[in-house]
Amino acid sequence: MIQKERVTQLQKIATQIRRDALRMVHGVQSGHPGGSLGCADFMVALFFEQMNINPENFTFEGHNEDVFFLSNGHITPCLYSTMARRGYFEVSELSTFRLLGTRLQGHPSNQHNLPGIRMASGSLGQGASVALGVAQAKKLNNDTSLVYVLTGDGELQEGQLWEAFMYAGAKHVDNIILTVDYNHKQIDGSVEQVLSLDNLEDKFKAFGWEVIVGEGNDMELLLENLQKAKTFIGKGKPIAFLMHTEMGYGVDFMQGNNKWHGSAPNDEQLANALSQLEETLGDY
């Protein structure tokens, strides 16, 4: 059971992550704020509470520590902010987001050896395959640490993911926790209208996965679900967490609106959004 004080602390960090993400996207008038706001709680829960990591001594191989892969690579604003706030690199570097030649590109890049990044992503559908390979490598190396991967629900329209899911179930890759950002929104509208996923829980189960369904914007429930996911490690099935979030969470005019999948706020909109999010750790 996570203490209430710790939950409150993590919520405050998530609020700052949302502020950072909005300012980063606004600063270059480019990026993806909607999913970043929706996944801020998850990133904080993972990097500040759930994963066994060593940010100050990052290694690409990640031996004997948990590793994370962002398959829906467009939501780097919340990933970069979380990594900086967790100590992978200086928070001041967030000001270089999406500038040419910097380490903080719009999608994760290995080109400049940014601590915390182990694969270039953003070509949707590839992250689960990479994560499964790493999970199996850990098993071969008798490494008991875990592999985490985040995908988008619209991303699940990519066929490669379903090949990966079939493989994971058939090969009993049971040291991986795959989370789906289940916000029912993608750039062109609702997932149901573009290409419905139908009963996603039943589909994962049919592919041999253990499935958890829960909230992604309630920190206490989110932590409980992530802890529950860990209880299935080593029991013969890969684990899927279908995480219900709301695109644009925390900013009233962005919430549930797919317009903000990839649109940057103007000056007035940024001021409005920041007025709804308390500065808790100090802006960069």
Side-chain angles (χ1 to χ4, degrees):
M1 177 68 70
I2 305 295
Q3 296 295 319
K4 294 288 187 182
E5 294 80 6
R6 181 57 174 164
V7 172
T8 299
Q9 183 183 31
L10 293 172
Q11 289 172 329
K12 289 182 177 180
I13 298 171
T15 298
Q16 185 65 53
I17 301 302
R18 291 185 169 97
R19 286 184 64 92
D20 290 348
L22 287 167
R23 295 180 65 240
M24 291 161 67
V25 172
H26 169 265
V28 289
Q29 284 296 290
S30 180
H32 297 78
S36 294
L37 295 178
C39 287
D41 299 301
F42 171 75
M43 291 294 188
V44 169
L46 210 59
F47 279 83
F48 283 82
E49 189 67 28
Q50 292 297 306
M51 288 200 301
N52 172 33
I53 52 178
N54 188 359
E56 294 79 12
N57 297 291
F58 172 78
T59 63
F60 184 82
E61 294 79 9
H63 295 315
N64 298 313
E65 67 172 317
D66 296 340
V67 298
F68 172 75
F69 295 98
L70 180 69
S71 189
N72 51 335
H74 52 278
I75 64 166
T76 48
C78 71
L79 175 63
Y80 291 154
S81 172
T82 301
M83 293 195 315
R85 299 288 178 179
R86 186 63 176 84
Y88 282 94
F89 53 87
E90 293 295 326
V91 173
S92 60
E93 192 170 351
L94 297 177
S95 65
T96 69
F97 177 64
R98 277 186 175 253
L99 298 180
L100 290 175
T102 68
R103 301 197 297 178
L104 305 189
Q105 291 301 297
H107 293 74
S109 169
N110 296 89
Q111 184 177 3
H112 300 293
N113 300 314
L114 180 67
I117 301 299
R118 293 185 170 91
M119 73 168 287
S121 63
S123 295
L124 297 178
Q126 299 178 2
S129 298
V130 174
L132 285 168
V134 173
Q136 288 196 301
K138 283 186 174 292
K139 282 179 170 288
L140 291 170
N141 291 328
N142 296 313
D143 182 342
T144 59
S145 55
L146 306 180
V147 176
Y148 292 85
V149 57
L150 177 66
T151 70
D153 51 0
E155 183 181 2
L156 299 192
Q157 295 160 353
E158 297 280 354
Q160 181 175 335
L161 279 164
W162 293 98
E163 294 180 58
F165 298 161
M166 179 171 61
Y167 180 88
K171 300 301 181 181
H172 309 289
V173 187
D174 57 2
N175 58 338
I176 186 169
I177 298 174
L178 179 141
T179 299
V180 178
D181 177 20
Y182 208 2
N183 64 20
H184 301 272
K185 295 287 187 297
Q186 58 190 104
I187 192 168
D188 290 325
S190 75
V191 172
E192 287 71 22
Q193 289 174 329
V194 176
L195 186 61
S196 177
L197 301 173
D198 296 318
N199 193 320
L200 195 54
E201 181 178 358
D202 284 351
K203 286 184 175 181
F204 269 102
K205 289 180 177 178
F207 278 67
W209 287 62
E210 194 70 52
V211 183
I212 298 167
V213 181
E215 293 301 315
N217 293 134
D218 181 310
M219 185 62 75
E220 187 169 8
L221 294 177
L222 174 58
L223 290 167
E224 289 176 2
N225 282 313
L226 288 172
Q227 289 181 332
K228 181 180 179 181
K230 282 187 175 182
T231 67
F232 294 108
I233 293 296
K235 295 185 177 180
K237 292 183 177 182
I239 301 109
F241 173 32
L242 308 186
M243 180 179 69
H244 288 289
T245 67
E246 189 167 10
M247 178 171 284
Y249 186 82
V251 176
D252 57 9
F253 64 89
M254 292 184 173
Q255 287 187 186
N257 187 345
N258 73 286
K259 167 190 174 181
W260 296 103
H261 172 93
S263 298
N266 60 31
D267 292 351
E268 182 180 353
Q269 290 166 333
L270 177 67
N272 184 357
L274 293 180
S275 73
Q276 301 175 46
L277 300 166
E278 180 185 2
E279 182 181 348
T280 58
L281 299 179
D283 288 334
Y284 64 87

